[in-house]
Amino acid sequence: MPLIADTTACVGAGQCALVAEDLFDQDDDGIVEVLERDPAPEQEADARRAVALCPAHALRLDP
Ligand code: SF4
């Protein structure tokens, strides 16, 4: 289940890294970095939470 971030849409709000620190980090400019592009089943809930919380709609969890 690929976890995808659109770094051109990311506004560096950091919600994703707060709710799923195993899955996301931010670079020096605050732009999202995906740490785990294929989350384990036990990480999916956190991934979905991050997708839902991102104010820029920059995250996607594909089926
Ligand atoms: S929550 Fe969205 S806007 Fe904020 S850092 Fe993560 S991807 Fe970027």
Side-chain angles (χ1 to χ4, degrees):
M1 194 170 275
L3 180 58
I4 296 164
D6 179 353
T7 54
T8 65
C10 174
V11 296
Q15 303 292 344
C16 54
L18 279 177
V19 300
E21 61 183 8
D22 292 346
L23 299 176
F24 302 100
D25 200 355
Q26 292 173 273
D27 69 13
D28 291 343
D29 295 321
I31 301 302
V32 65
E33 295 176 334
V34 178
L35 300 176
E36 181 53 73
R37 293 183 184 280
D38 190 16
E42 62 270 21
Q43 294 176 307
E44 278 186 30
D46 281 350
R48 289 187 192 287
R49 200 169 299 131
V51 169
L53 285 175
C54 175
H57 305 289
L59 302 176
R60 218 170 75 225
L61 191 60
D62 281 356

